[in-house]
Amino acid sequence: MGKPLPRKTVYAATLITILALAGGWTLAAGTTTTTGPTQNSSITVTAPGGFSVAVVQSTQMLTVSGVLISGLNGPAGVQAGGAGGGLNSTTTKNAVLTACAGSFCEENFSAVATTAGLAVGDSALQVMLTVTQPTTPGVGFDVQVAIIYNTGGPAIYSFGTGYFDSNSATGGHAAFFAVALYVDLGVSALTLPSISDIVVTMNNCQTATTCP
């Protein structure tokens, strides 16, 4: 028999379910794709030893809407060398999460290095992260998302990256912070893309504001 889930894991999952049912969740910002080819997806999360700042909670393919774009808190940091550069962020350019005064907060970000910027009518992947916002000090981390999909032909690859500063909670205790990272696939939702694999890699940054 497998080991029981830690209590804090069960509580986190329960909280997410309640929020989703209450309509206060980020899924309402886009249009969920409900038609198209059968999805045959797998998710791989690589978390190097010692990384515990964030975890992947779920992934969802959406159709980008104007409401989703208008509800973004901005891009997930600034990449060194521009959008086509390497995997490092520019000093002091990590996306700083809001200092959470309560036990739960949430924000939405567009990925930095995407095949195309978020465009209305495109298919996009929503990667939901849960971040433990420390009381002090803030912690920096990066998220790299690789997506393999097809539209009836050869495999197509899309990539997105986010650089974050966890900031510090203000309530005297660590906060449960939900972060939605959106990666545009670069194709219209009308082409009915089918995702086969999603690879998410997360790393600690050197400081809260500088990656790696």
Side-chain angles (χ1 to χ4, degrees):
M1 183 188 303
K3 296 180 179 179
L5 289 174
R7 287 184 127 188
K8 63 180 181 180
T9 302
V10 175
Y11 292 160
T14 302
L15 178 57
I16 287 176
T17 302
I18 292 172
L19 288 167
L21 292 175
W25 199 238
T26 50
L27 286 176
T31 303
T32 305
T33 301
T34 56
T35 60
T38 301
Q39 301 300 301
N40 180 25
S41 303
S42 60
I43 302 173
T44 303
V45 179
T46 303
F51 181 86
S52 59
V53 183
V55 296
V56 176
Q57 187 63 47
S58 66
T59 61
Q60 180 76 44
M61 191 160 69
L62 305 173
T63 299
V64 178
S65 67
V67 175
L68 187 155
I69 293 175
S70 65
L72 292 174
N73 292 88
V78 177
Q79 192 174 60
L87 295 177
N88 299 337
S89 74
T90 304
T91 302
T92 71
K93 295 298 184 180
N94 289 4
V96 183
L97 301 182
T98 301
C100 190
S103 299
F104 174 82
C105 292
E106 59 180 325
E107 289 184 327
N108 308 306
F109 296 89
S110 58
V112 177
T114 58
T115 303
L118 286 177
V120 173
D122 274 6
S123 286
L125 182 73
Q126 179 195 57
V127 180
M128 289 302 308
L129 307 172
T130 53
V131 179
T132 300
Q133 187 174 83
T135 51
T136 186
V139 178
F141 65 98
D142 66 27
V143 182
Q144 298 155 25
V145 183
I147 306 160
I148 305 174
Y149 67 97
N150 69 73
T151 57
I156 305 171
Y157 297 82
S158 188
F159 302 91
T161 306
Y163 308 97
F164 295 98
D165 175 344
S166 71
N167 207 335
S168 298
T170 61
H173 54 79
F176 178 79
F177 210 116
V179 173
L181 180 64
Y182 294 95
V183 182
D184 196 304
L185 300 186
V187 296
S188 167
L190 298 178
T191 63
L192 302 179
S194 178
I195 294 176
S196 60
D197 291 278
I198 302 165
V199 179
V200 182
T201 304
M202 296 184 288
N203 301 281
N204 285 317
C205 293
Q206 292 178 347
T207 70
T209 58
T210 308
C211 286

